[in-house]
Amino acid sequence: MPQNVTALPQQIIHRTVLDNGIVVIVVENSAADIIASRLFIRAGSQWEPREKAGLSHLLSTVITKGTAQLSSLEIAERIESVGANLSADASTDYFLLSLKTVSADWSEILQLAGQMLRSPSFPEAEVELERHLTLQDIRSQKEQPFSIAFEQLRQVMYQDHPYAVSILGTEATASRLNRADLELHHQTYFRPDNMVISIAGRVTPEQAVEQVKQVFGDWQSPATPLPIQPLPSIVSQPSQVVTPQETQQSIVMLGYLASPVQAQDYAALKLLNTYLGNGLSSRLFVELREKRGLAYDVSAFYPTRQSASTFVVYMGTAPENTETALVGLSTEVERLCSTPLSPDELQTAKNKLLGQYALGKQTNAQLAQTYGWYETLGLGIEFDTQFQQDVANVTPEMAQAVARLYFLEPYVSVVGPAEAINKLMADS
């Protein structure tokens, strides 16, 4: 059983690979009598066929609703009787079962999680109910200007790639999903050699690994190899998409294809995102809202992704300011290409980014999430130290070079009243 131990600041991260392929990450932290666990499966929405978009999300809503041994009510009673938390979630890059409990009840709740992952029953009534709720969520998003703007931006940027579609799927795909689809997806991807279990709390690595073995040690992977999901290449074709909608404000978004988490530019892009759009002292907030009064809401985001990510700046503004907002956002992004950040600006962004990063690893749940996520994405537990070092090493010249590489012509997405949209189109 291969094993390695990595000493990181304040924590020792233990990584063990079981004979059946499960990777177990353990952080012993006795500050509180709590154990948090994250059970990752590499089965997020990027592994879904396009015509089955929303499959991972629907599976996450139903997997906690019954096993071969227990009904939905019995599961709920077991969890609530000891005051534990147990929930499932799906994202673009992984499927996740999360649990948190006092240490005395951890083995019992882990066994329950094991039943869910290994033998879910997918009750027909629950599948129907959750599909109905998902369709309601999809329709609700079609009434929210921000969601519409981001959806159409994502579609033109990612084209045929699975990232083009919301984790919920579309009305067309979600309405066709059924129990057989869930069972096939589960049989295909839910297997020990496709799994990471990350544990943090009042438990020794030896105890944690032994408990995982008791629950999952007899689970064998099928002889068939994991299917390789060929992802279509993403061709940059910047364009402008607009949707007229009678709203109180216009949403203006600029999007740029950006690097995945494994790329060497990741840390610099995270810094640029922090500088531009993170908080009340960010460049976009100060320049476009405080000084010019253009924005109700203005920010930037650059999500961590296994495949190509997006770097997005956006603003909610009065309809009559739609065009001015677009110019203002463009100007601020272009400034990063033409003018290097001052040493003080860059250091402030570093302090903010690294400070928030440290605060994101305070609880056992956060520790289990962070290290399990890194392992699942193929980064390894060493990435925690590497990322912080990469951020510290970024110079103004490096940040400018990265800006020039990625912030070329943007994709543009606008949602707002027809009059503002028509004026924008006429002037562009």
Side-chain angles (χ1 to χ4, degrees):
M1 184 168 64
Q3 198 173 143
N4 62 296
V5 177
T6 303
L8 299 178
Q10 300 176 322
Q11 268 110 24
I12 296 179
I13 319 300
H14 295 258
R15 178 184 183 275
T16 303
V17 183
L18 303 188
D19 293 340
N20 60 2
I22 294 177
V23 179
V24 184
I25 310 288
V26 186
V27 184
E28 185 176 359
N29 179 22
S30 300
D33 186 27
I34 297 290
I35 300 177
S37 307
R38 297 287 185 269
L39 293 79
F40 290 87
I41 304 282
R42 296 181 183 91
S45 63
Q46 70 160 299
W47 283 273
E48 299 167 353
R50 189 62 167 262
E51 68 275 11
K52 304 284 185 187
L55 188 52
S56 298
H57 168 76
L58 184 61
L59 198 153
S60 75
T61 64
V62 182
I63 201 168
T64 58
K65 302 297 173 61
T67 71
Q69 299 85 10
L70 298 168
S71 68
S72 178
L73 181 59
E74 287 170 327
I75 290 171
E77 286 175 345
R78 284 202 182 188
I79 296 167
E80 290 170 10
S81 67
V82 295
N85 293 335
L86 198 158
S87 61
D89 192 20
S91 79
T92 54
D93 294 331
Y94 57 83
F95 181 98
L96 178 63
L97 199 63
S98 304
L99 61 96
K100 184 172 71 171
T101 181
V102 295
S103 55
D105 299 317
W106 179 61
S107 63
E108 179 188 347
I109 300 300
L110 186 67
Q111 286 170 358
L112 181 58
Q115 284 188 37
M116 288 179 183
L117 284 178
R118 297 180 63 173
S119 55
S121 57
F122 301 130
E124 194 72 60
E126 297 287 356
V127 174
E128 289 296 317
L129 173 61
E130 293 300 338
R131 185 175 57 197
H132 176 70
L133 293 174
T134 298
L135 288 168
Q136 283 187 335
D137 287 345
I138 293 170
R139 290 167 188 146
S140 171
Q141 289 190 355
K142 290 183 177 178
E143 299 172 3
Q144 300 166 18
F146 180 91
S147 296
I148 296 168
F150 185 52
E151 184 71 20
Q152 65 187 17
L153 181 71
R154 186 168 51 195
Q155 286 176 8
V156 296
M157 292 182 77
Y158 282 116
Q159 303 142 31
D160 296 327
H161 193 283
Y163 283 3
V165 184
S166 161
I167 186 72
L168 298 176
T170 67
E171 273 195 85
T173 62
S175 62
R176 290 195 299 263
L177 294 174
N178 57 42
R179 185 172 182 272
D181 294 324
L182 298 179
E183 288 184 324
L184 179 60
H185 193 68
H186 178 266
Q187 288 166 10
T188 304
Y189 292 104
F190 283 61
R191 44 192 279 175
D193 58 353
N194 198 33
M195 186 174 177
V196 174
I197 299 180
S198 182
I199 300 156
R202 187 173 288 180
V203 63
T204 68
E206 295 76 19
Q207 290 169 335
V209 170
E210 186 55 40
Q211 190 60 52
V212 170
K213 281 184 185 177
Q214 285 187 26
V215 177
F216 296 102
D218 63 339
W219 192 15
Q220 296 304 310
S221 295
T224 53
L226 272 162
I228 296 171
Q229 180 80 353
L231 294 174
S233 57
I234 302 166
V235 181
S236 181
Q237 298 173 320
S239 57
Q240 185 166 298
V241 282
V242 299
T243 297
Q245 188 182 48
E246 293 313 306
T247 57
Q248 300 294 313
Q249 59 177 302
S250 292
I251 303 293
V252 180
M253 278 187 186
L254 274 61
Y256 304 84
L257 283 169
S259 73
V261 64
Q262 299 91 342
Q264 61 181 14
D265 298 328
Y266 174 75
L269 283 165
K270 277 294 185 189
L271 272 173
L272 291 172
N273 175 70
T274 300
Y275 170 75
L276 265 186
N278 188 331
L280 305 184
S281 61
S282 67
R283 173 81 186 186
L284 293 178
F285 192 93
V286 171
E287 293 296 321
L288 300 181
R289 176 170 166 147
E290 293 296 290
K291 291 185 179 179
R292 298 180 61 186
L294 278 176
Y296 300 126
D297 181 27
V298 62
S299 192
F301 57 91
Y302 166 51
T304 299
R305 292 285 179 265
Q306 201 165 24
S307 296
S309 188
T310 48
F311 192 108
V312 177
V313 294
Y314 70 91
M315 185 193 300
T317 190
E320 62 270 20
N321 290 332
T322 302
E323 195 169 357
T324 309
L326 179 57
V327 173
L329 287 171
S330 300
T331 300
E332 290 303 331
V333 176
E334 288 163 6
R335 175 179 171 271
L336 296 174
C337 302
S338 60
T339 308
L341 299 184
S342 71
D344 283 350
E345 286 175 323
L346 186 61
Q347 191 58 51
T348 298
K350 288 181 181 182
N351 293 345
K352 184 190 293 188
L353 177 58
L354 292 175
Q356 290 175 343
Y357 183 76
L359 288 173
K361 297 185 299 175
Q362 295 296 296
T363 67
N364 287 328
Q366 289 171 329
L367 291 170
Q369 175 72 29
T370 298
Y371 297 121
W373 183 42
Y374 290 164
E375 180 68 34
T376 303
L377 293 182
L379 302 167
I381 52 181
E382 300 82 6
F383 182 75
D384 178 67
T385 306
Q386 184 64 50
F387 171 68
Q388 296 175 74
Q389 192 60 54
D390 288 347
V391 169
N393 290 341
V394 174
T395 64
E397 294 75 22
M398 288 166 62
Q400 185 183 22
V402 167
R404 285 177 169 172
L405 183 61
Y406 292 98
F407 302 153
L408 303 173
E409 186 182 354
Y411 290 82
V412 178
S413 175
V414 184
V415 175
E419 186 178 350
I421 293 284
N422 293 338
K423 185 176 186 306
L424 177 69
M425 299 303 289
D427 293 344
S428 62

